[in-house]
Amino acid sequence: MRKVRSFLFACLSLTMVFTVLIGLSPIEIRANTDGGEFIYGDLNGDGNIDSTDAALLTRYMLEIISDFPSADGMKAADVNGDGEIDSIDYTLLSRRLLDIIDYFPVEEDSTEVIDTEAPSIPENLEAIEVTDTSVTLKWDASVDNVSVKGYNVYSSRSSFPTVTSDTKITISNLVPENTYTFSVNAFDEEGNESDKSESIEVTTPLTILESGLTIEEQELFDLVNEARVSEGLEPLVLDLELTHVARILAQEMSDNNSFEPTEPFKAVRENNISYRAVGVNSAGARSPERVANMWSAHDKDTGLIYNESLEYTGVGIVRNSSYGRAAVQLYVAR
């Protein structure tokens, strides 16, 4: 009775259109018993969706009939595809007859094409620019039966890919004098992924400037001298022999995951550095700027950076996976 009551409610809302179908109008019945292709909404199997089908559905809902003339009538009547024949199907059939809708929901679902085809594999992956801390990669665009949404760039430095929509990308924050492996795959809107491209290996160089320092060592050297000049002092003079010793000490710190070398003054003597006075600053930090700030604040009290008697310096920076950079600066007076 619940099915009948809900159907009667739907019928009342459409009284002006279909009262004649519930009444005494004769119904043309043409049975389709071959079990072949059917049309949703065509309950009598005559190949049309019309008032005859609406009348049949009405009688079924009122429990006047228990089946439909067409062999596929029960399936054809479930026009929303929910597995039930009820007032929802009647309303949808009514809207179809009034040209309010062009398709039944079950037809829209059945005609939906699910894309399962993956894009092609990206080809010709290459490194077009390499610095001591970055690599720029490019590759040929993939093709897809619908569209390529983007690319995953895989690197041996990380467990997670870098995602881009372009066919060119710059990977930064690399370590100088390290070898990295890169590969790329493509994906589409449905999440279908291609296989990975052939991988390439790229080794980052250690860039040495004309001064004899690396880029980061030069940055630290300049920042310390800026601090001195701001206090009215002469800038320190770079000494590459001191820089050699500073690098040895920075490497020791990085190897030991420490923030200071064990015997810096012994290292100075063993490398035959002449001096009247010698001082050393060391730190572990994420950037040369952070190192300079730490030393500058500390030396306001100790006077090492701001000691006007110290004239020569050497700077060494070594990358460290734990704290970023192991940095050492030596100062001497001669």
Side-chain angles (χ1 to χ4, degrees):
M1 288 300 295
R2 181 179 300 173
K3 180 170 68 175
V4 173
R5 284 198 297 270
S6 63
F7 169 71
L8 287 174
F9 178 78
C11 285
L12 288 173
S13 66
L14 297 162
T15 302
M16 295 182 63
V17 182
F18 291 109
T19 26
V20 65
L21 302 179
I22 305 176
L24 302 176
S25 298
I27 298 175
E28 176 185 355
I29 296 177
R30 184 184 304 168
N32 172 15
T33 58
D34 61 7
E37 185 177 353
F38 70 96
I39 301 172
Y40 282 104
D42 177 20
L43 308 188
N44 69 336
D46 65 354
N48 299 310
I49 303 173
D50 51 27
S51 60
T52 301
D53 302 300
L56 286 167
L57 185 55
T58 299
R59 293 187 176 193
Y60 178 85
M61 295 295 301
L62 293 173
E63 300 182 355
I64 297 173
I65 59 175
S66 60
D67 202 352
F68 300 105
S70 171
D72 294 305
M74 298 298 288
K75 187 174 181 179
D78 182 19
V79 295
N80 71 333
D82 66 352
E84 298 182 0
I85 300 173
D86 51 26
S87 59
I88 297 175
D89 300 298
Y90 179 83
T91 301
L92 289 167
L93 180 59
S94 302
R95 291 180 177 179
R96 178 70 178 273
L97 292 174
L98 293 171
D99 293 326
I100 297 173
I101 60 175
D102 296 322
Y103 299 96
F104 295 120
V106 69
E107 291 177 307
E108 293 176 352
D109 291 342
S110 64
T111 57
E112 180 182 0
V113 177
I114 299 176
D115 177 22
T116 59
E117 184 175 337
S120 63
I121 300 172
E123 296 182 346
N124 298 320
L125 173 64
E126 61 177 327
I128 59 173
E129 184 177 354
V130 182
T131 72
D132 56 345
T133 59
S134 69
V135 173
T136 299
L137 305 170
K138 70 178 289 290
W139 56 91
D140 294 343
S142 296
V143 295
D144 187 61
N145 62 315
V146 180
S147 65
V148 175
K149 185 176 182 181
Y151 301 89
N152 295 309
V153 181
Y154 296 89
S155 167
S156 56
R157 73 168 186 155
S158 174
S159 302
F160 302 97
T162 302
V163 180
T164 178
S165 59
D166 200 359
T167 57
K168 178 180 176 182
I169 189 173
T170 298
I171 306 295
S172 303
N173 297 318
L174 304 181
V175 178
E177 295 187 293
N178 271 259
T179 299
Y180 299 90
T181 302
F182 298 97
S183 61
V184 182
N185 76 346
F187 59 90
D188 61 19
E189 292 284 351
E190 294 297 327
N192 301 307
E193 294 190 17
S194 72
D195 291 335
K196 292 180 182 179
S197 68
E198 291 187 5
S199 60
I200 62 170
E201 285 190 348
V202 181
T203 300
T204 52
L206 181 65
T207 302
I208 303 296
L209 304 175
E210 290 184 7
S211 63
L213 299 179
T214 67
I215 294 173
E216 292 191 338
E217 289 169 347
Q218 184 70 52
E219 181 182 355
L220 181 56
F221 173 75
D222 291 340
L223 288 170
V224 169
N225 271 340
E226 287 173 11
R228 280 176 64 92
V229 171
S230 69
E231 296 295 321
L233 301 174
E234 290 294 319
L236 294 164
V237 177
L238 180 64
D239 186 306
L240 293 182
E241 290 183 348
L242 282 173
T243 294
H244 173 70
V245 179
R247 287 172 178 164
I248 292 173
L249 296 173
Q251 186 65 61
E252 175 200 315
M253 287 170 54
S254 181
D255 292 343
N256 296 333
N257 275 325
S258 63
F259 296 99
E260 59 182 7
T262 53
E263 296 184 274
F265 304 116
K266 180 181 178 181
V268 170
R269 291 192 300 270
E270 288 179 346
N271 282 272
N272 301 314
I273 304 297
S274 60
Y275 60 89
R276 287 188 298 107
V278 61
V280 59
N281 266 335
S282 63
R286 290 294 174 187
S287 67
E289 182 180 10
R290 176 61 178 156
V291 171
N293 289 340
M294 293 166 63
W295 288 348
S296 179
H298 177 263
D299 286 356
K300 287 287 186 182
D301 300 321
T302 63
L304 194 54
I305 285 180
Y306 303 105
N307 188 325
E308 60 182 350
S309 68
L310 298 174
E311 307 167 281
Y312 299 92
T313 189
V315 184
I317 294 180
V318 174
R319 294 281 182 120
N320 177 274
S321 59
S322 298
Y323 51 74
R325 278 86 173 157
V328 174
Q329 185 165 25
L330 294 170
Y331 314 85
V332 299
R334 290 181 174 137

